[in-house]
Amino acid sequence: MAAAMTHTTFTSWLMITLLLIICPTSSSSSSPSPAAAAVRVGVVLDLRSDAGRKSRTCIEMALEDFYMKHPSSATRVQLHVRDSHGDDDDPTVAAAHAAEDLIKNVQVEAIIVAPQTLTEADFLAHLGNHKHIPILSLSGISPASSGEQPHKIMPYFVQAAANDLLQAKPIASIAMSFSWRQVILVCEDSPHGAAIFPKLAHELDGMETQISDVVFVPVDATEDRVHEVMRRLKRMETRVFIVHMRSSMAARFFAMANDLGMMSQGYAWIVTSTIGNAVDSLRSDHAINSMEGVLTLRPSVNETDHVKRFFARFQRKMISSYSDHSHLHDEPSMQLLWAYDTAWAIATAAETARLASFATGLAQDELPITGKTLLDSVLKTTFDGLAGKFSLDYNNGYQQQQLRYDILNVIGRGTRTVGTWMQDEHPISYYDRRADAKWLKIIIWPGDTTNVPKGWEVSPSGKSLVIAVPRKNGFRQFVNVAGNTTASSANITGYCIDLFHRVMQELKYEGGYEYVTDNRSEDYNHLVERVHRKEVDVLVGDITITAKRMENVTFTVPFTELGWTMMVMAKKDTRKSMWIFPKPFTGTLWLVTIALFLFIGFVVWVLEHRINPRFRGTPSEQLGTTFYFIFSTMVFSHREKLQSNMSRIVVIVWCFFVLVLTTNYTASLTSMSTVQQLRPAVTDVEELIRGGDPVGYHESSFVKDSLIKMGFKQSNLRHLGTVEQYNQALSDGSVKAIFDEIPYLKLFRSHFPNKYTMAGPVYKSGGFAFVFPQGSLLGRRVSEALMAMMESPSTPRNTLIPFPVNTTDDVGSPRLDTSDFSGLIIIVMTVSSLMLLTWFATFFYKEFSKVRAACSSWRSWMGARFLSTILSSRDLNSHNFEVQQQNEIMMNDIEQANQVVEGD
């Protein structure tokens, strides 16, 4: 009995002890431990916005989850939330007041903020730096936009979200994937808006895609001011726009663009993540309807099971907390995940900093967490969060996660993911579906079309192209303006005009043309200046490219020959040469002809020497007979009769080749001997300068300045304007030479082909080109079309040459080359080789046993000697040698009969 009582007492005591141990533990999970130290953390958000309320909910959920997982924590984060919008119209001022109130009156140890402007971020960063309070930013806007290494200057500002400027690289990749040559950057007129320009320009540096213009929209712009900006954009040739501004401002911007018809077919809009992150909020606004076809970015979420469970809880929490919230608008967002992970990080850092303080040995109530201690702890905190690996750069204070961006296409009142961009992966591609490219899905562009916008428009305003043309006194074959007034294309003619029309047809331009001239239209520099001032759209004519003109305008590729030289009188060259006879043929043709003679001689000898007595004898006799026979075919006087049909075929083809060759040689030599050769009367420019001889130049040409730099005196220069003046001045000796660009001189020489000739060195110049305003997309397209025409073999030659004229200055027949007889040479070689192979095949077939015996000889030299003996021996079975053998027998019989008679 006593033993039983002892056992019962012991059991009761054990149960009571367990309850005392369990009860405090279970209660601590539901309420803070009395020993836990409070860490005051401020939260400054725009609680009137959907994004601000969602961020607050994520922060609260993170702390609930953290302390549920760590119930015995030594610290407890207490949130003190302030509305950054407040009662002030300026949210930046309201956020500043809220942060100051938290530091002064609440004495918070850290502040979580989501700045909406760079001014707000800069103020909070300086405030935290001054008060030694860590500022954790949930926004992509940070002082990093305004300078290099801001963390060294403002170390208490921590970028917990990815910087907005990281989008420059994926945006550049998207633009390049569609092969757009130029884009226009449209951004809000603020430090944050302007900060993306250098980043984007850096990513596009050296690429085909370039930023043609940057347009700033004032943050406080009125409707009229926004309308003015939109009209300016509509007048531009470029149709690809990259937009970087706050979501509220972007909503106004696209509503205006839609009203002006700029959300129609042919336009392309790429918007930074300010829209991609705010799509959920914009769905409740009619502004989303104005963004049909827009491409935007959003940091990509890895939707793990943990993330899905969190967002299910998050939706229930939002519905219970806010009566006006609709869970249909919620999708996993990196912005919300960053808010959750940031709150978790501050709780972890507070715990780490508090535990580190116990080493001081002070009482627990004397252990405050300093801002520096908490900041260091936050920067060293790492864990696997909802957004991925939470890790901050300790030296620079920003998020180190390697981001992926989803590329979204706004369709209707929602978005559709059409691709994903990630750092250091394969480039984005739309046209090329190869395996090593991150290709995009089909995109619905503005105007509800899947056709990719070409990115530019020839006449954006719908007006006709205004084309300036020069008036010319001479050389009107290039440009000719009929009449004294500016009129339509009916009285504007010339090679340059025709070529420009041809290029525009290649570009499928369907608009009209308006030609203009003025009283100074003969002054080319004045016309170029009009293009620079954008008074006209293009300058068409014989406009030479010069370095000075290129400073203000864009030239197309030149469409004429480059350079300038001098034209002088030509005099007859009566000098004769004793070595004129080899000149009709080039050296290569002479060598090929000699080689053919040797080859054909060898073939005929092989085919004839075993059956034809005329090709037999000693080796020297055979060699002499063979070469005599082949060379006698040049005059068709060969007397050796051929016995083989194969050799007859070879000689027939060879004689035809020789006939053609000798005929052309005779004609060319006759031409060279009889036609008078012309040579320039003056060849040395320095001689003209030393002698002080007068020279001419084309009026209004840059050549005048070049001649003065070369050393010609201005008093010795004569300006001339027409072909007739050129001829008169050279004929009467008024000038010894005329310096001008090669196209003009060739046109002049086409009128007097045997009277004048070009001489002296060719000096470099740019050639003729069309002129467009600087950065003109149309000018680039015209250049591409010109290059395509010049490279195409199907383009008629007279399309790119201003006049049908023989441009060579060499008089007389050109020398004949191997290419002129390549067809005949191939026929001769083919026929002779075929006959030779046929003979060898027949020979080896007939003499197979002897050839095999020669090849099986135990000594190679003896076998080769035996084989050569067989090849050089007579073919006794041939008809010719059978007749000869019968004649020899008959002669022997006759001699024997005569001997018998004489004996009798």
Side-chain angles (χ1 to χ4, degrees), residues 510-787:
E510 299 178 355
Y513 303 110
E514 178 184 345
Y515 293 93
V516 297
T517 60
D518 55 35
N519 295 330
R520 297 179 58 190
S521 62
E522 73 282 354
D523 183 355
Y524 286 9
N525 291 330
H526 167 69
L527 293 176
V528 171
E529 185 61 26
R530 291 195 65 183
V531 177
H532 170 56
R533 295 195 301 266
K534 296 186 178 181
E535 297 176 1
V536 296
D537 297 320
V538 58
L539 172 58
V540 176
D542 48 346
I543 314 299
T544 303
I545 303 173
T546 64
K548 186 176 181 179
R549 292 171 179 173
M550 289 181 67
E551 295 176 357
N552 300 319
V553 296
T554 296
F555 284 90
T556 64
V557 295
F559 51 82
T560 60
E561 291 185 68
L562 309 182
W564 57 280
T565 186
M566 68 176 178
M567 180 74 72
V568 297
M569 293 288 295
K571 60 182 181 180
K572 295 179 180 180
D573 189 1
T574 58
R575 296 173 296 179
K576 300 294 182 182
S577 174
M578 61 182 294
W579 297 103
I580 194 174
F581 70 90
K583 289 186 177 181
F585 289 174
T586 62
T588 303
L589 183 56
W590 278 115
L591 292 176
V592 171
T593 303
I594 294 172
L596 280 176
F597 268 99
L598 298 177
F599 178 70
I600 296 300
F602 170 74
V603 172
V604 172
W605 175 80
V606 170
L607 298 177
E608 291 289 328
H609 81 285
R610 298 190 75 236
I611 61 175
N612 193 338
R614 294 179 179 274
F615 286 86
R616 298 201 60 79
T618 63
S620 60
E621 290 176 346
Q622 293 184 49
L623 185 63
T625 301
T626 300
F627 280 108
Y628 174 76
F629 171 79
I630 290 300
F631 279 96
S632 65
T633 57
M634 294 182 62
V635 292
F636 309 102
S637 61
H638 46 282
R639 296 181 180 180
E640 290 76 6
K641 294 183 179 180
L642 301 176
Q643 301 297 326
S644 171
N645 288 330
M646 289 188 289
S647 60
R648 290 168 182 166
I649 294 174
V650 171
V651 172
I652 289 173
V653 176
W654 170 251
C655 288
F656 179 74
F657 170 76
V658 170
L659 175 63
V660 175
L661 191 70
T662 54
T663 303
N664 281 272
Y665 175 84
T666 304
S668 182
L669 183 61
T670 302
S671 175
M672 289 184 177
S673 302
T674 57
V675 175
Q676 291 288 348
Q677 301 295 310
L678 300 178
R679 62 187 181 93
V682 180
T683 58
D684 191 357
V685 178
E686 294 297 329
E687 181 181 343
L688 294 174
I689 298 175
R690 289 193 302 268
D693 296 316
V695 296
Y697 65 92
H698 189 214
E699 59 184 3
S700 302
S701 173
F702 70 94
V703 174
K704 176 183 178 181
D705 296 333
S706 300
L707 292 175
I708 294 175
K709 292 179 181 179
M710 290 169 59
F712 285 96
K713 295 181 180 179
Q714 188 164 355
S715 59
N716 293 331
L717 301 181
R718 308 287 186 267
H719 63 86
L720 307 169
T722 65
V723 171
E724 293 74 16
Q725 291 177 357
Y726 277 28
N727 179 45
Q728 181 66 31
L730 287 173
S731 298
D732 60 19
S734 301
V735 295
K736 286 293 186 69
I738 294 177
F739 290 86
D740 207 345
E741 294 173 83
I742 291 178
Y744 291 129
L745 296 181
K746 286 190 173 182
L747 177 58
F748 168 63
R749 189 178 181 278
S750 66
H751 291 81
F752 310 96
N754 296 322
K755 190 175 181 181
Y756 305 105
T757 183
M758 287 187 285
V762 176
Y763 302 97
K764 298 297 182 182
S765 68
F768 296 166
F770 303 129
V771 187
F772 290 85
Q774 210 162 41
S776 170
L777 267 181
L778 178 58
R780 182 162 188 158
R781 297 294 181 178
V782 170
S783 287
E784 293 173 355
L786 278 171
M787 286 299 299

Side-chain angles (χ1 to χ4, degrees), residues 415-435:
T415 59
R416 168 174 164 264
T417 302
V418 295
T420 302
W421 179 92
M422 186 170 182
Q423 180 78 20
D424 299 330
E425 281 197 355
H426 297 299
I428 296 175
S429 176
Y430 188 77
Y431 299 102
D432 188 358
R433 293 296 198 258
R434 65 185 190 274

Side-chain angles (χ1 to χ4, degrees), residues 208-246:
E208 289 188 356
T209 305
Q210 295 296 315
I211 300 175
S212 62
D213 204 347
V214 181
V215 177
F216 293 98
V217 182
V219 177
D220 56 349
T222 62
E223 292 297 318
D224 292 340
R225 182 71 179 92
V226 176
H227 197 273
E228 180 183 344
V229 172
M230 299 305 300
R231 285 198 302 268
R232 177 188 170 191
L233 294 176
K234 191 173 183 178
R235 289 194 298 267
M236 293 182 176
E237 295 177 352
T238 305
R239 285 290 190 260
V240 181
F241 304 97
I242 297 174
V243 181
H244 180 58
M245 57 182 64
R246 284 172 288 176

Side-chain angles (χ1 to χ4, degrees), residues 384-401:
D384 292 326
L386 291 180
K389 182 73 172 179
F390 185 91
S391 176
L392 299 174
D393 188 311
Y394 185 82
N395 295 320
N396 296 308
Y398 57 75
Q399 184 66 258
Q400 293 190 110
Q401 291 179 5

Side-chain angles (χ1 to χ4, degrees), residues 219-507:
V219 177
D220 56 349
T222 62
E223 292 297 318
D224 292 340
R225 182 71 179 92
V226 176
H227 197 273
E228 180 183 344
V229 172
M230 299 305 300
R231 285 198 302 268
R232 177 188 170 191
L233 294 176
K234 191 173 183 178
R235 289 194 298 267
M236 293 182 176
E237 295 177 352
T238 305
R239 285 290 190 260
V240 181
F241 304 97
I242 297 174
V243 181
H244 180 58
M245 57 182 64
R246 284 172 288 176
S247 58
S248 58
M249 189 174 185
R252 295 174 55 203
F253 180 85
F254 280 103
M256 185 73 70
N258 189 45
D259 293 340
L260 292 176
M262 298 178 67
M263 301 302 297
S264 57
Q265 188 170 350
Y267 286 88
W269 298 88
I270 304 174
V271 189
T272 58
S273 61
T274 53
I275 292 297
N277 293 331
V279 166
D280 294 343
S281 301
L282 289 175
R283 286 181 185 175
S284 60
D285 195 331
H286 294 295
I288 190 66
N289 295 327
S290 302
M291 298 184 185
E292 181 83 23
V294 166
L295 287 182
T296 185
L297 299 177
R298 183 168 61 191
S300 181
V301 175
N302 185 16
E303 295 191 41
T304 62
D305 292 339
H306 189 192
V307 171
K308 292 178 181 178
R309 288 193 298 270
F310 165 75
F311 264 93
R313 292 172 48 222
F314 169 78
Q315 290 173 352
R316 293 192 296 270
K317 181 92 170 176
M318 289 294 296
I319 293 173
S320 64
S321 300
Y322 303 99
S323 59
D324 60 341
H325 180 76
S326 173
H327 70 281
L328 297 176
H329 289 173
D330 293 330
E331 290 182 1
S333 165
M334 284 293 288
Q335 298 294 323
L336 301 182
L337 299 185
W338 281 328
Y340 182 96
D341 288 350
T342 300
W344 189 286
I346 195 67
T348 303
E351 185 71 9
T352 303
R354 191 70 176 178
L355 292 175
S357 299
F358 288 154
T360 61
L362 297 176
Q364 184 171 330
D365 57 356
E366 298 177 357
L367 297 175
I369 301 177
T370 64
K372 182 65 169 65
T373 304
L374 185 59
L375 174 66
D376 290 342
S377 182
V378 168
L379 293 175
K380 294 177 182 178
T381 298
T382 59
F383 59 90
D384 292 326
L386 291 180
K389 182 73 172 179
F390 185 91
S391 176
L392 299 174
D393 188 311
Y394 185 82
N395 295 320
N396 296 308
Y398 57 75
Q399 184 66 258
Q400 293 190 110
Q401 291 179 5
Q402 189 175 28
L403 283 184
R404 293 186 308 167
Y405 282 95
D406 288 334
I407 303 172
L408 308 178
N409 185 199
V410 180
I411 303 174
R413 297 182 63 81
T415 59
R416 168 174 164 264
T417 302
V418 295
T420 302
W421 179 92
M422 186 170 182
Q423 180 78 20
D424 299 330
E425 281 197 355
H426 297 299
I428 296 175
S429 176
Y430 188 77
Y431 299 102
D432 188 358
R433 293 296 198 258
R434 65 185 190 274
D436 62 343
K438 297 281 292 183
W439 53 272
L440 299 175
K441 298 177 182 178
I442 299 300
I443 296 172
I444 306 299
W445 298 97
D448 196 22
T449 178
T450 58
N451 296 326
V452 178
K454 63 181 180 180
W456 64 284
E457 187 65 37
V458 174
S459 183
S461 60
K463 299 186 301 182
S464 299
L465 279 180
V466 180
I467 304 175
V469 292
R471 288 183 176 273
K472 299 179 63 65
N473 295 325
F475 296 96
R476 294 183 178 178
Q477 290 85 347
F478 291 98
V479 178
N480 183 27
V481 180
N484 296 322
T485 59
T486 60
S488 65
S489 59
N491 55 358
I492 307 290
T493 58
Y495 159 69
C496 296
I497 303 299
D498 295 339
L499 180 60
F500 182 77
H501 288 173
R502 167 97 183 231
V503 172
M504 298 306 287
Q505 289 175 1
E506 293 290 330
L507 294 177

Side-chain angles (χ1 to χ4, degrees), residues 118 122 142-154 163 165 191 195 199:
L118 185 59
D122 282 336
S142 76
S145 306
S146 59
E148 296 182 357
Q149 298 181 332
H151 190 66
K152 294 183 178 180
I153 303 174
M154 293 169 285
N163 197 303
L165 301 184
K199 297 289 185 181

